Amino acid sequence: MIDPFGRTVDYLRVSVTDRCDFRCVYCMAEDMTFLPKRDLLTLEELDRLCTAFIDKGVRKLRLTGGEPLVRKNIMSLIRNLSRHLNSGALDELTLTTNGSQLAKYAGELADCGVRRINVSIDTLDREKFKKITRWGQLGKVMEGLDAARKAGLAVKINAVALKDVNEFEIPDMMRWAHGEGFDLTLIETMPLGEIDEDRTDQYLPLSLVRRRLEEDFTLTEIPYKTGGPARYVEVAETGGRLGFITPLTHNFCESCNRVRVTCTGTLFMCLGQEDAADLRAPLRASESNELLSQAIDEAIGRKPKGHDFVIDRRGGKAAVGRHMSMTGG
Ligand code: SAM
Ligand code: SF4
């Protein structure tokens, strides 16, 4: 799949549910209304959809959400999808998780051929963790990380940089992550969906975080790539890798290789644009994949050049109405 700007699309992110057992302040409102179950693709439909994309050249598949591991029977989908790893059609099957269910599933994930996972943790302080996630428990996530290590899964920690919240904790988090053998990637908050708070209060530019880190650490740019938009540095003092995802201070759209499907089968060609294509109707219209394949081609043919995230100019308002939990991180 090649888009109008010559970019090869070989990375698919699939949100398998919009539900979550956390309510992170930058991601959701506390009283979120979730989609009615009948609107969701079944696990069989999700498998068919992913397989259609793999047939079209997707080499990397990431399951996300909401929280992917709270979807009922999710392991049956993952086990089925692992056939594409075994056949060599897929290079990587991975997921982004809040870690709450990882203690239960880490072993089985490894058994299904998952090699690396992203776990989101924004703070190592139990109280702060509770404040940020509203419903989460850091202890459970730490148990999950232990299980992941025992299962041999490589872990990357994702942390959203939040002004006044974890702003001054970032060096400690980095020392901890690197000490545990985990990569750490910092993410700028993106204006996605209405939340209960003002986003301008949360936004912390990573350019500032990096300048501060450079006062105490030696950061060397490295060409390491994971298929995502992070740019990596190596930290001499810790020997670990630190990634920066900077949709606001540095637009990374020129090398974008991915598209996203929601749990209702809506294909978003760009995280920061409203344009989308419905894949559920062609998926359900026939048992063959012809209509589905056509709909995918048409959508890739209009993948936009990039997003337009600007937090200060929007006065903290959302750039697009949908939440990250719907499109998937
Ligand atoms: N529930 C899983 C988790 O938290 O890892 C997967 C889905 S979550 C939407 C994926 C990632 O998006 C998480 O790392 C989360 O911190 C991040 N995220 C959510 N809302 C965001 C926002 N408005 N700006 C930047 N990152 C956001
Ligand atoms: Fe749930 Fe992940 Fe959103 Fe937090 S960031 S509310 S864990 S979907």
Side-chain angles (χ1 to χ4, degrees):
M1 292 182 286
I2 298 183
D3 81 356
F5 303 94
R7 296 170 297 191
T8 299
V9 177
D10 56 6
Y11 181 2
L12 177 69
R13 293 187 171 216
V14 182
S15 175
V16 296
T17 174
D18 62 328
R19 287 165 201 256
C20 188
D21 51 348
F22 290 6
R23 290 289 180 279
C24 302
V25 291
Y26 48 77
C27 182
M28 293 191 184
E30 187 153 22
D31 61 341
M32 286 288 285
T33 314
F34 293 109
L35 295 163
K37 289 231 165 78
R38 63 174 181 279
D39 285 355
L40 298 194
L41 296 185
T42 63
L43 294 175
E44 291 73 21
E45 287 170 333
L46 281 168
D47 184 289
R48 224 182 112 198
L49 192 71
C50 292
T51 303
F53 273 97
I54 293 166
D55 288 344
K56 289 183 147 311
V58 159
R59 308 282 318 170
K60 175 166 172 176
L61 185 60
R62 177 177 297 277
L63 305 185
T64 174
E67 174 46 41
L69 295 180
V70 301
R71 172 105 195 222
K72 208 168 157 201
N73 287 334
I74 187 64
M75 286 314 303
S76 71
L77 175 67
I78 297 178
R79 191 161 289 282
N80 281 338
L81 288 171
S82 72
R83 72 184 183 279
H84 298 300
L85 289 172
N86 299 333
S87 76
L90 196 62
D91 293 331
E92 185 167 30
L93 174 60
T94 181
L95 71 165
T96 302
T97 172
N98 65 22
S100 67
Q101 312 295 314
L102 206 48
K104 193 156 87 198
Y105 291 126
E108 208 175 339
L109 286 170
D111 195 45
C112 290
V114 173
R115 294 283 161 262
R116 301 188 306 152
I117 52 170
N118 290 0
V119 182
S120 306
I121 303 181
D122 303 322
T123 177
L124 297 174
D125 178 300
R126 273 164 204 268
E127 287 307 306
K128 239 190 249 178
F129 189 85
K130 188 113 219 148
K131 272 206 186 113
I132 296 174
T133 62
R134 292 197 186 102
W135 295 2
Q137 282 178 34
L138 183 61
K140 275 250 170 319
V141 178
M142 290 295 169
E143 284 169 26
L145 288 176
D146 268 350
R149 187 198 322 273
K150 286 194 184 108
L153 296 173
V155 173
K156 179 164 78 81
I157 304 290
N158 279 346
V160 175
L162 296 162
K163 193 161 135 193
D164 299 329
V165 179
N166 61 6
E167 179 168 1
F168 298 105
E169 206 194 324
I170 289 172
D172 283 343
M173 286 193 67
M174 185 176 80
R175 281 191 201 93
W176 165 78
H178 291 173
E180 300 284 322
F182 305 149
D183 288 347
L184 172 68
T185 294
L186 303 173
I187 310 175
E188 280 174 347
T189 50
M190 291 174 244
L192 301 175
E194 293 303 324
I195 52 172
D196 298 332
E197 304 180 18
D198 183 348
R199 292 195 187 272
T200 29
D201 291 347
Q202 299 180 343
Y203 175 56
L204 172 64
L206 288 182
S207 47
L208 173 63
V209 173
R210 183 169 174 162
R211 269 201 308 281
R212 286 189 191 143
L213 281 171
E214 281 171 336
E215 289 170 12
D216 295 314
F217 298 93
T218 320
L219 310 184
T220 311
E221 303 262 354
I222 49 170
Y224 179 71
K225 280 267 156 218
T226 58
R231 307 163 138 229
Y232 283 90
V233 297
E234 197 166 71
V235 183
E237 289 74 8
T238 60
R241 272 192 297 252
L242 177 66
F244 296 93
I245 299 186
T246 54
L248 288 114
T249 55
H250 175 92
N251 194 308
F252 44 61
C253 304
E254 66 277 4
S255 59
C256 181
N257 58 347
R258 75 213 71 123
V259 290
R260 296 173 160 84
V261 183
T262 68
C263 51
T264 56
T266 305
L267 173 65
F268 283 97
M269 289 73 84
C270 173
L271 181 62
Q273 300 283 356
E274 300 283 2
D275 188 26
D278 174 36
L279 300 182
R280 189 176 56 186
L283 185 76
R284 289 183 177 172
S286 86
E287 276 178 19
S288 94
N289 280 355
E290 219 163 287
L291 293 173
L292 176 63
S293 172
Q294 257 172 29
I296 296 173
D297 288 343
E298 267 169 37
I300 300 294
R302 54 172 211 272
K303 181 166 157 66
K305 193 163 183 202
H307 63 65
D308 175 33
F309 291 149
V310 186
I311 284 200
D312 32 359
R313 267 196 265 143
R314 289 178 189 276
K317 284 270 171 279
V320 291
R322 60 187 192 275
H323 291 89
M324 184 74 120
S325 51
M326 181 180 164
T327 334

